[in-house]
Amino acid sequence: MSNRKALASIVGAALLATCGIAKAETKSDGLQLNRPLMLDDAAPAMPLTALINKTGAGSWMSDNALSVGGYVEASWTVSDSAPPANTITGRYFDFENQDLTLNQIDVYLNRAVDTSKNKFDVGGRIEMIYGGDSRLIHSLGLFDYQGIYNVPAGNSRGPDEQFDLNQAYVDVYVPFNNTGVKIRAGKFNTLLGYETINPVWNNSLGVGSLYSHSFLFGFAIPLTNTGVIGTYVINPEWTVTAGLTRGWDTSTEDDNDTIDAIGQVAWSINSKSALTVNFEIGPDQPGDNSNYRDVLDVIYVQKLADQLAFAINADYGYQFNSSTSGSDCQWFGAAGYLTYTVSNMVAATARAEYFNDDDGYRGIGSSVYEVTLGVAITPMPNDSIGKNLVIRPEVRYDYANDKVYDGGTGRSQGTFGVDAIFAF
């Protein structure tokens, strides 16, 4: 084993012993401090839940802490050029040029475990998605026979709209040392990254509500993991989680015989700032049980003023002895977000990003930059049903050091996109 590989393994083992994931927490000033993987635990009742609550089943569901809900998202994107096959290079969910897309119809059933009473409790979540985005989020063994496996843009098999089992897990809360440990087993959205598959969660962050996703989301990190993680709240400021998964976007089938270590440490610095550090480490190449893939992910959120907030997400990844080139490869980048809340109807966001994939391992093969400007519009903020509708128009400009756009003929591209989300 090389010195560099040994060092990475030691660092990964040390992080596994100390890192974790924080339960999403909203401070009194409204700033969402932590990446919202656990936002489902504290999500407000949606219209569907409110409707059920008016029936006989409502009291039973309420007594058992059960909730149902979901959302619908549709979008349209246009490029300033004529990309071959109407495929916009480097994009994830918004890769289809001038094509009205039904992105996601999401439905979930959730039971949040009660951590306030320090007693044994069982909960969980099952979440199904239908739509065009499902082609791009299949994990190994789950619906991956009909879609693109982790490859945005082109080479699609099957229909444009597909099903995907996005999440299916069980939560068990075990009392311990006056705070308890929450153990999650199953398939869940990855701990890594600032942006999410769920557009409602992206809109709930308070920073960075945009339709298009960053290069970091699409190319630097996994989307989902299947395994077991345990969360422990040390005190109101520090929370840790560590666990084992089957690897990047891997569920009921695996393409090697190994497991990954995953974890996060979350620090709520004060009511206006928070820092989280995530990692995943393990062999993730098909048929490869020894060459490690290591990813470190850092997120910092800062509220600058009552209506102004900032966030930054940075990633560094390293693949030993890549299957594509036979040599070690790395990728890294950072995205910054600045959001100004104009009113309860409008919030404006700017995102600037740099991502380096000069080694080509993540599928871009260049250093790329992007700037995106968008607004999140809630046209009926004071209506009990209408407030769940959000419309997000944006303009985006991408630039690359090499000719990777428009079928390898250009270094830049511009797009206009818009999506509409209704949560129910």
Side-chain angles (χ1 to χ4, degrees):
M1 179 182 288
S2 68
N3 292 335
R4 192 170 188 178
K5 186 173 181 179
L7 177 61
S9 300
I10 293 170
V11 170
L15 284 171
L16 178 60
T18 60
C19 291
I21 178 171
K23 178 178 178 181
E25 178 184 0
T26 303
K27 295 296 186 181
S28 59
D29 61 6
L31 175 65
Q32 184 70 48
L33 291 180
N34 302 316
R35 183 193 177 281
L37 174 70
M38 306 295 189
L39 185 60
D40 50 328
D41 289 354
M46 291 290 104
L48 181 57
T49 299
L51 180 63
I52 293 174
N53 285 342
K54 295 181 179 180
T55 69
S59 59
W60 178 84
M61 291 187 64
S62 178
D63 291 343
N64 290 278
L66 290 169
S67 63
V68 295
Y71 58 86
V72 178
E73 181 195 20
S75 69
W76 185 77
T77 303
V78 58
S79 173
D80 65 354
S81 61
N86 274 329
T87 298
I88 304 172
T89 302
R91 301 297 184 82
Y92 216 77
F93 296 144
D94 59 331
F95 68 90
E96 293 173 300
N97 181 46
Q98 299 191 58
D99 183 67
L100 184 62
T101 302
L102 174 62
N103 294 81
Q104 301 181 29
I105 301 176
D106 177 285
V107 178
Y108 69 81
L109 172 65
N110 188 82
R111 186 187 189 279
V113 294
D114 187 350
T115 62
S116 63
K117 299 177 182 178
N118 199 31
K119 65 179 184 179
F120 184 84
D121 197 15
V122 178
R125 183 182 184 94
I126 184 166
E127 185 172 14
M128 201 79 182
I129 293 177
Y130 175 79
D133 292 355
S134 292
R135 294 170 291 175
L136 303 156
I137 63 174
H138 294 315
S139 59
L140 279 174
L142 285 177
F143 297 94
D144 57 328
Y145 61 89
Q146 65 169 359
I148 309 169
Y149 173 59
N150 230 11
V151 180
N155 301 318
S156 174
R157 300 188 304 274
D160 285 351
E161 286 77 35
Q162 302 175 13
F163 286 99
D164 188 74
L165 183 61
N166 181 223
Q167 299 193 93
Y169 58 76
V170 174
D171 284 339
V172 178
Y173 182 76
V174 181
F176 172 74
N177 197 28
N178 297 321
T179 58
V181 175
K182 183 165 69 174
I183 300 170
R184 174 165 293 182
K187 182 189 179 191
F188 44 85
N189 290 327
T190 188
L191 313 186
L192 283 69
Y194 184 64
E195 299 182 12
T196 64
I197 294 171
N198 186 323
V200 178
W201 286 353
N202 268 346
N203 194 53
S204 300
L205 289 170
V207 186
S209 179
L210 296 166
Y211 164 52
S212 70
H213 283 70
S214 64
F215 293 118
L216 298 183
F217 171 87
F219 297 94
I221 60 173
L223 298 175
T224 61
N225 292 106
T226 300
V228 179
I229 56 175
T231 303
Y232 180 68
V233 179
I234 300 174
N235 56 43
E237 287 74 40
W238 293 92
T239 303
V240 296
T241 289
L244 299 173
T245 79
R246 301 198 73 182
W248 286 42
D249 305 302
T250 301
S251 291
T252 62
E253 296 178 4
D254 206 340
D255 51 15
N256 60 30
D257 301 318
T258 62
I259 58 177
D260 281 12
I262 191 170
Q264 180 192 80
V265 59
W267 178 27
S268 294
I269 302 169
N270 53 48
S271 64
K272 295 185 178 182
S273 58
L275 176 70
T276 57
V277 179
N278 316 287
F279 81 93
E280 183 164 357
I281 179 172
D284 280 296
Q285 297 187 123
D288 185 345
N289 298 324
S290 58
N291 292 296
Y292 276 61
R293 180 184 300 171
D294 309 331
V295 179
L296 184 67
D297 175 77
V298 180
I299 302 165
Y300 177 76
V301 180
Q302 175 71 53
K303 186 169 184 179
L304 303 173
D306 288 344
Q307 296 173 279
L308 187 65
F310 169 78
I312 187 168
N313 179 203
D315 288 309
Y316 178 80
Y318 197 91
Q319 174 64 56
F320 293 96
N321 192 24
S322 78
S323 57
T324 57
S325 66
S327 60
D328 294 353
C329 295
Q330 65 177 353
W331 60 97
F332 53 90
Y337 307 77
L338 187 67
T339 293
Y340 180 72
T341 302
V342 181
S343 68
N344 63 350
M345 291 185 63
V346 178
T349 292
R351 179 182 62 206
E353 180 183 16
Y354 166 74
F355 181 65
N356 183 303
D357 184 41
D358 286 343
D359 291 341
Y361 185 71
R362 299 306 300 158
I364 295 179
S366 183
S367 290
V368 290
Y369 312 77
E370 61 99 354
V371 176
T372 305
L373 300 175
V375 292
I377 303 168
T378 305
M380 296 174 282
N382 300 317
D383 183 83
S384 60
I385 300 298
K387 67 182 181 181
N388 294 290
L389 173 65
V390 178
I391 301 169
R392 301 185 299 179
E394 68 168 44
V395 290
R396 173 167 169 168
Y397 177 76
D398 300 336
Y399 178 81
N401 287 347
D402 304 283
K403 293 182 178 181
V404 299
Y405 299 119
D406 292 341
T409 63
R411 289 191 174 92
S412 66
Q413 64 183 8
T415 58
F416 169 80
V418 60
D419 76 335
I421 310 160
F422 181 78
F424 56 84

